[in-house]
């Protein structure tokens, strides 16, 4: 039984979806009517023609997402119930086995039989536990996992189902939820499900509930097909309407020709597909051997999974066109920067997946010789190992599993392999392949040069939530930063999301220290000393290649300036707070040796000012007098949180302090715990608190944020004045 099985009324169903009753659902279904809640548009198909997309509007989309989540939970629940039944059966057999051991020889024979049955029950795995057949719209699965099954095969047969989504009409959807044993809902509830999911009597392509419903209905078809595939020794998988079969059998052999096995396989396959309510598109059926380019869902699978060269080449050309002209085309239509991001991310994802396969291979082999080979100790294998280890070093979860899991022999590797030093890091991070370099260049352009909003880079990931909450509360005072549209807010600034990909490509560590590494991409990495001698800092020739000054590169390429400024926001903390505990701001200042300020700050901007000094020599004064503009370099602005007289003796501040002022806010108690910046077992930390503040921003006083928000606004306006 699942949650849906136990429902009796439409109100019960509504409550399962998260509503108080069925009133809102009835309003959408019968008053507004769901057919009026779609926007339709077309997108080009890969092989020509257009695909019609029916995208639900906001209110219906919300309801369909709720439905999709419930259906997925019920699917998992049905799988778990089968596992529970299996455990119960095993327990019964075990008890019977133990009782039989206490009897005579005849019963002992029975005990042996029960023991064998017990083992078989334990070994049995329901088909639904790991449905490897369908790879579309499934969590943890993708076109990559679908393609991997058919890698390095002699023959690949591709079959496409005609009008796939149109095959799921209203009656078919309704009938499935009534008749399927895992759901078996009442006719009334099945009707409501079909009404929510269907558009003009069919499942629409573009709805969030369509994918899960198609997968549920096609499970029976997949099981029927896999039986035929096993009979003829084919490997089978499906991605939506794309069916793929592969084999290492010699299909051109005289034996197969004589027996007509291939013809028989195709005949049986077509019969099953037609009887299941689908139709094969004969124009897309193709058989390819390993001497040709074999493709599965758009990926080349001859040796390893790869992206087509044409796709990579065209993506690079689009990016270069974007850099030069600020516009490009995809399929002869204007492209967007998000589309280009998706193309680069897809190529990068394939590279990372291949590295992950090397990682899995090393664990399977699980011996020191294999690990040392992957570490590049064998010079002849370095070309393969270097990218793998760069991937491992910058994937924390994999590094932990590889180096600290005692079940792997890697645990016994010499100490030098358990961590990566600064110099090794430089070496590995310089080993980018051409695809990674292009992706890195594009991301910098997207975030810092061709950006459509000013971007703020903060020390911590929680800082943006506080700033967004403050802007929501004070939006009327900052039209340059935020505007309100009905109940929604539109931010005119964005914050850099330091994802694993960004950390990997740009060599940016976590925390405030990472901002000095970002500065490397805004600087030429040299300065003039007191003797007017040109001095390079922090970088050798290898690092200079790694940390390209992309700002200069794009300025020369485009003959223009960045669209919007970049703002580095630091916590305003003094240096050496606790012995060697240096603040991120001072670490940045000592690193940015080419960042100079006039000795007389009052005369900043004057043409007569010639005497300058390093920012590190004057930072203590500047951070106190002028935290909203510590310094500026081209499109880069450096600022810090304002100091407050009633906090830390007016000597230090971070963004949480702007909320903690004794005269302002009382901190909430959440689940019986009080707030502490460092978290712990008895306290909640910044992560929980920042989410709470953003969600409940109306409860807080953001007065102390005003100088910070003023500084952000003024820096943006200052950059606008250059144009």
């Amino acid at each position: 039984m699942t949650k849906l099985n136990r429902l009796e009324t439409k109100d019960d169903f509504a409550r399962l979806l998260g509503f108080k009753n069925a009133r809102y659902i009835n309003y959408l279904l019968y008053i507004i009517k769901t057919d009026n809640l779609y926007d339709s548009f077309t997108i080009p198909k890969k092989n020509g023609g257009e695909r019609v997309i029916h995208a639900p509007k906001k209110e219906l989309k919300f309801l369909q997402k709720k439905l999709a989540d419930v259906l997925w939970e019920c699917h998992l629940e049905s799988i778990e119930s089968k596992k529970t039944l299996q455990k119960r059966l095993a327990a019964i057999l075990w008890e019977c086995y133990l009782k039989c051991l206490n009897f005579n020889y005849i019963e002992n024979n029975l005990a042996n039989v029960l023991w064998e049955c017990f083992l078989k029950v334990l070994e049995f795995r329901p088909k639904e536990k790991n449905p490897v057949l369908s790879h579309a719209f499934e969590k943890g699965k993708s076109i990559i996992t679908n393609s991997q099954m058919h890698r390095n095969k002699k023959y690949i047969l591709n079959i496409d189902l005609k009008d796939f989504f149109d095959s799921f009409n209203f009656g078919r959807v309704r009938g499935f939820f009534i008749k399927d044993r895992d759901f078996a809902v009442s006719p009334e509830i099945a009707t409501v499900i079909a009404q929510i999911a269907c558009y003009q009597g069919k499942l629409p392509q573009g709805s969030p509930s369509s994918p899960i419903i198609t997968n549920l209905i096609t499970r029976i078809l997949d099981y029927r097909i896999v039986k035929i595939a096993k009979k003829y020794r084919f490997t089978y998988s499906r991605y939506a309407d794309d069916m793929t079969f592969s084999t290492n059998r010699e299909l051109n052999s005289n034996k197969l020709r004589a027996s007509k096995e291939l013809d028989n396989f195709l005949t049986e396959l077509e019969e099953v597909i037609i009887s299941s309510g689908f139709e094969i598109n004969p124009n897309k059926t193709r058989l390819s051997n390993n001497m040709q380019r074999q493709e599965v869902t758009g990926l080349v699978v001859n040796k390893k999974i790869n992206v087509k060269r044409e796709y990579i080449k065209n993506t690079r050309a689009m990016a270069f066109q974007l850099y030069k002209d600020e516009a490009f085309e995809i399929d002869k239509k204007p492209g967007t920067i998000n589309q280009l991001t998706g193309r680069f991310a897809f190529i990068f994802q394939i590279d990372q997946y291949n590295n992950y396969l090397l990682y899995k291979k090393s664990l399977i082999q699980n011996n020191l010789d294999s690990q040392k080979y992957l570490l590049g100790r064998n010079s002849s294998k370095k070309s393969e190992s270097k990218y793998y280890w760069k991937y491992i070093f910058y994937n924390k979860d994999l590094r932990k599993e590889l180096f600290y899991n005692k079940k792997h022999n890697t645990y016994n590797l010499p100490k030098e392999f358990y961590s990566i030093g600064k110099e090794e890091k430089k070496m590995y991070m310089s080993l980018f392949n051409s695809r990674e370099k292009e992706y890195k260049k594009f991301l910098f352009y997207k975030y810092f040069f061709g950006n459509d909003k000013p971007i703020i880079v903060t020390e911590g990931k929680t800082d943006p939530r506080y700033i967004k909450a403050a802007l929501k509360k004070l939006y009327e005072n900052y039209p340059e930063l935020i505007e309100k549209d009905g109940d929604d807010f539109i931010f005119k600034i964005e914050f850099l999301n330091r994802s694993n990909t960004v950390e990997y490509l740009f060599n940016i560590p976590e925390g405030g220290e990472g901002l000095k590494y970002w500065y490397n991409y805004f600087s030429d990495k040299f300065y003039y000393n007191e003797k007017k001698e040109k001095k390079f800092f922090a970088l050798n020739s290898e690092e200079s290649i790694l940390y390209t000054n992309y700002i200069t590169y794009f300025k020369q390429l485009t003959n223009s300036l960045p669209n919007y400024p970049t703002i580095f926001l630091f916590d305003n903390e003094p240096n050496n707070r606790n012995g060697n505990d240096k603040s991120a701001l001072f670490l940045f200042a000592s690193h940015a040796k080419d960042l100079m300020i006039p000795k007389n700050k009052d005369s900043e901007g004057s043409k007569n000012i010639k005497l300058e000094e390093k920012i590190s020599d004057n930072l203590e004064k500047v951070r106190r007098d002028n935290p909203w503009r510590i310094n500026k370099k081209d499109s880069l602005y450096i600022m810090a949180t304002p100091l407050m007289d009633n906090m830390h003796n007016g000597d230090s501040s971070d963004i949480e302090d702007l909320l903690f002022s004794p005269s302002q806010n009382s901190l909430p108690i959440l689940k019986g715990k009080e707030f502490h910046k460092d978290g712990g077992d008895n306290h909640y930390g910044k992560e929980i608190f920042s989410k709470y503040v953003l969600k409940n921003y109306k409860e807080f006083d953001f007065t102390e944020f005003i100088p910070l928000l003023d500084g952000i606004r003024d820096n943006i306006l200052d950059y606008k004045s250059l144009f």
Side-chain angles (χ1 to χ4, degrees):
M1 296 232 356
T2 65
K3 296 177 182 178
L4 284 171
N5 295 134
R6 297 185 285 267
L7 301 181
E8 296 180 358
T9 66
K10 193 185 291 186
D11 284 335
D12 292 337
F13 177 65
R15 282 189 282 272
L16 182 61
L17 295 181
F19 301 98
K20 291 182 179 180
N21 51 49
R23 185 177 299 175
Y24 181 72
I25 297 175
N26 290 334
Y27 173 72
L28 293 181
L29 296 183
Y30 308 118
I31 305 299
I32 297 181
K33 297 184 178 179
T34 54
D35 281 0
N36 298 322
L37 292 172
Y38 285 88
D39 293 318
S40 300
F41 56 92
T42 60
I43 58 174
K45 293 182 179 180
K46 293 181 179 179
N47 300 321
E50 292 184 330
R51 189 185 308 276
V52 181
I53 303 296
H54 304 291
K57 293 182 179 179
K58 185 170 117 177
E59 52 267 53
L60 181 58
K61 186 177 182 180
F62 175 76
L63 179 59
Q64 289 176 339
K65 281 185 175 179
K66 290 281 189 179
L67 174 62
D69 291 339
V70 167
L71 293 178
W72 178 254
E73 289 175 8
C74 290
H75 173 57
L76 296 180
E77 189 180 348
S78 68
I79 296 172
E80 192 62 32
S81 65
K82 291 180 176 67
K83 290 171 62 179
T84 302
L85 184 62
Q86 180 188 7
K87 290 178 181 177
R88 288 177 182 175
L89 179 57
I92 293 170
L93 289 171
W94 178 254
E95 288 181 15
C96 293
Y97 167 72
L98 293 177
K99 289 180 180 178
C100 286
L101 292 178
N102 298 322
F103 294 97
N104 59 31
Y105 177 75
I106 296 175
E107 282 77 13
N108 278 336
N109 284 338
L110 177 60
N112 292 333
V113 172
L114 289 171
W115 175 253
E116 291 177 4
C117 292
F118 172 72
L119 292 178
K120 287 182 179 180
V121 169
L122 292 182
E123 293 171 359
F124 176 74
R125 297 292 183 268
K127 292 178 179 178
E128 291 87 348
K129 181 184 177 184
N130 187 23
V132 296
L133 305 177
S134 174
H135 291 257
F137 324 124
E138 293 274 358
K139 293 181 180 179
K141 295 178 183 173
S142 63
I143 63 171
I144 299 176
T145 59
N146 183 57
S147 301
Q148 177 64 21
M149 297 182 63
H150 308 285
R151 185 179 63 86
N152 201 23
K153 296 292 183 72
K154 283 186 179 180
Y155 292 93
I156 289 180
L157 174 66
N158 302 99
I159 292 176
D160 184 82
L161 297 179
K162 188 176 181 181
D163 300 327
F164 181 67
F165 279 89
D166 288 348
S167 302
F168 302 91
N169 57 40
F170 183 94
R172 189 174 188 179
V173 173
R174 180 179 179 273
F176 168 80
F177 286 105
I178 294 173
K179 297 176 182 178
D180 186 79
R181 288 180 297 178
D182 291 338
F183 292 92
V185 303
S186 68
E188 181 185 24
I189 293 174
T191 301
V192 174
I193 292 174
Q195 288 174 323
I196 295 172
C198 291
Y199 170 65
Q200 295 182 348
K202 300 175 183 177
L203 283 182
Q205 198 167 349
S207 164
S209 59
S210 294
I212 178 67
I213 294 175
T214 59
N215 272 356
L216 290 172
I217 296 176
T218 51
R219 280 184 302 168
I220 298 174
L221 172 63
D222 288 331
Y223 297 148
R224 289 174 179 173
I225 291 178
V226 80
K227 287 181 181 179
I228 301 173
K230 286 182 178 180
K231 177 181 175 182
Y232 292 95
R233 292 162 55 188
F234 278 93
T235 299
Y236 165 68
S237 71
R238 180 179 58 82
Y239 191 90
D241 56 351
D242 290 327
M243 292 181 168
T244 306
F245 303 84
S246 61
T247 184
N248 281 322
R249 300 182 71 187
E250 186 53 69
L251 297 183
N252 291 324
S253 68
N254 292 329
K255 184 178 179 180
L256 280 178
R257 285 185 188 141
S259 64
K260 297 184 179 181
E261 275 198 62
L262 183 59
D263 291 339
N264 293 338
F265 166 71
L266 293 172
T267 301
E268 288 187 40
L269 179 64
E270 188 171 13
E271 288 176 355
V272 169
I273 290 174
I274 293 174
S275 66
S276 300
F278 299 96
E279 184 181 352
I280 294 176
N281 186 347
N283 297 326
K284 294 186 177 181
T285 300
R286 61 188 185 278
L287 179 68
S288 56
N289 60 43
N290 55 5
M291 300 302 293
Q292 303 168 296
R293 187 168 72 180
Q294 297 173 318
E295 294 182 27
V296 178
T297 47
L299 295 174
V300 181
V301 295
N302 290 70
K303 293 296 182 182
K304 65 178 183 179
I305 297 175
N306 217 333
V307 183
K308 290 185 286 187
R309 291 181 180 178
E310 298 93 322
Y311 188 90
I312 298 173
K313 184 178 178 181
N314 291 338
T315 301
R316 289 177 177 175
M318 293 173 189
F320 187 77
Q321 197 67 39
L322 174 66
Y323 305 152
K324 290 282 290 182
D325 304 330
E326 297 185 358
F328 67 97
E329 290 186 345
I330 296 180
D331 299 322
K332 298 182 180 180
K333 293 184 179 180
T336 66
I337 199 163
N338 286 335
Q339 286 177 303
L340 199 51
T341 302
R343 292 175 71 99
F344 272 114
F346 175 63
I347 297 168
F348 179 72
Q349 184 184 10
I350 300 301
D351 276 346
Q352 296 293 82
Y353 183 77
N354 286 326
N355 285 332
Y356 177 70
L357 292 182
L358 283 174
Y359 162 74
K360 286 182 63 177
K361 179 182 177 183
S362 74
L363 293 186
I364 292 171
Q365 293 176 344
N366 200 20
N367 61 74
L368 291 180
D369 289 338
S370 170
Q371 303 303 331
K372 289 178 180 179
Y373 145 68
L374 285 170
L375 284 163
R377 290 302 192 224
N378 185 339
S379 59
S380 64
K381 302 294 185 180
K382 281 185 179 180
S383 60
E384 182 176 324
S385 68
K386 60 186 181 181
Y387 301 115
Y388 164 79
W389 279 103
K390 177 164 60 67
Y391 166 73
I392 293 295
F393 285 135
Y394 281 84
N395 190 314
K396 298 181 181 65
D397 294 334
L398 295 184
R399 188 168 67 238
K400 183 178 179 181
E401 182 179 354
L402 184 62
F403 286 141
Y404 300 102
N405 194 330
K406 292 188 177 182
K407 74 178 181 181
H408 304 307
N409 286 331
T410 51
Y411 184 82
N412 297 317
L413 285 171
K415 187 177 179 180
E416 62 182 292
F417 297 146
Y418 287 93
S419 63
I420 180 170
K422 184 177 180 180
E423 295 304 315
E424 284 180 296
K425 182 183 291 186
K426 295 174 185 176
M427 177 188 71
Y428 282 108
M429 289 307 298
S430 65
L431 298 174
F432 288 115
N433 59 37
S434 59
R435 297 179 296 278
E436 289 172 325
K437 290 177 181 177
E438 289 297 325
Y439 188 24
K440 178 180 179 179
K441 185 193 300 181
F442 167 76
L443 286 180
F444 189 92
Y445 178 88
K446 175 185 176 180
Y447 293 136
F448 304 111
F449 199 94
N451 46 327
D452 57 1
K453 295 178 182 177
I455 189 165
I456 301 175
V457 186
T458 60
E459 285 195 39
K461 63 179 179 180
T462 60
D463 295 9
R465 296 171 189 156
Y466 300 121
I467 297 174
K468 287 181 177 180
L471 285 173
K472 284 184 174 183
K473 185 70 174 288
L474 306 172
Y475 75 94
E476 292 179 336
N477 300 331
Y478 297 98
E480 303 89 353
L481 306 180
I482 188 173
E483 67 179 37
K484 192 173 184 181
D485 183 13
D487 294 331
D488 298 324
F489 289 96
I490 302 172
F491 290 96
K492 298 180 180 181
I493 56 174
E494 62 179 331
F495 298 86
L496 181 68
N497 178 22
R498 286 193 282 186
S499 61
N500 289 335
T501 299
V502 169
E503 180 182 332
Y504 175 85
L505 290 174
F506 289 94
N507 190 25
I508 305 297
E510 294 180 341
E513 189 179 355
L515 272 71
K516 77 177 186 181
Y517 292 93
W518 275 121
Y519 183 74
N520 290 334
Y521 298 100
F522 292 80
S523 169
D524 288 320
K525 278 76 72 179
F526 67 83
Y527 67 102
Y528 292 96
N529 62 12
E530 296 178 354
K531 298 181 180 179
K532 306 298 180 182
E533 297 172 329
K534 190 175 184 179
K535 296 289 185 180
F536 290 88
F537 62 92
L539 302 173
N540 54 35
S541 58
E542 196 173 59
E543 290 178 294
S544 297
I545 298 173
L546 174 61
Y547 295 108
T548 305
N549 185 345
Y550 282 123
I551 292 293
T552 299
Y553 170 83
F554 285 120
K555 283 171 64 175
Q556 293 174 348
L557 183 64
T558 64
N559 198 28
S560 63
L561 297 174
N563 291 341
Y564 291 94
T566 298
I567 298 174
F568 286 179
L569 177 59
F570 290 89
D571 293 335
N572 199 342
E573 297 170 328
N575 205 19
N576 288 324
R577 297 163 294 170
N578 298 309
N580 293 322
D581 183 17
K582 295 186 177 181
S583 74
L585 179 59
F586 279 83
L587 287 172
F588 173 86
S590 62
H591 177 79
K593 297 182 184 298
D594 61 330
L595 199 56
M596 311 295 285
I597 57 175
K599 285 188 176 181
N600 183 2
K601 287 291 293 182
D602 294 333
S603 303
E604 184 179 2
S606 173
K607 296 181 180 180
N608 298 321
I609 295 296
K610 295 182 180 181
L611 297 176
E612 294 182 329
E613 58 186 357
K614 298 177 185 176
I615 182 176
S616 56
D617 296 336
N618 203 35
L619 181 58
E620 184 62 35
K621 183 178 186 303
V622 175
R623 76 174 186 90
R624 294 177 181 276
D625 299 342
N626 198 32
W628 52 88
R629 175 84 64 78
I630 291 176
N631 214 318
K632 175 189 175 184
K633 180 180 177 64
D634 299 324
S635 62
L636 176 63
Y637 291 76
I638 297 97
M639 60 181 296
T641 54
L643 298 173
M644 299 176 292
D645 294 334
N646 59 355
M647 295 292 290
H648 310 296
N649 298 318
D651 188 49
S652 175
S653 74
D654 58 29
I655 201 158
E656 281 88 9
D657 290 332
L658 305 183
L659 279 169
F660 298 162
S661 176
S663 62
Q664 302 298 325
N665 300 297
S666 58
L667 300 180
I669 296 175
L670 304 178
K671 295 183 179 180
K673 295 182 178 180
E674 296 181 347
F675 173 80
H676 193 280
K677 290 182 181 181
D678 297 327
D681 295 335
N682 301 319
H683 300 84
Y684 65 91
K686 294 181 181 180
E687 182 71 14
I688 294 174
F689 181 63
S690 61
K691 290 180 179 179
Y692 181 87
V693 172
L694 182 58
K695 184 179 180 180
N696 304 280
Y697 65 91
K698 293 180 180 179
E699 300 177 7
F700 291 87
D701 186 343
F702 292 98
T703 302
E704 300 291 354
F705 277 77
I706 292 176
L708 174 64
L709 300 180
D710 286 347
I712 293 173
R713 178 199 59 202
D714 293 344
N715 285 329
I716 294 171
L717 293 176
D718 178 79
Y719 187 74
K720 279 187 178 181
S721 66
L722 300 177
F723 294 86

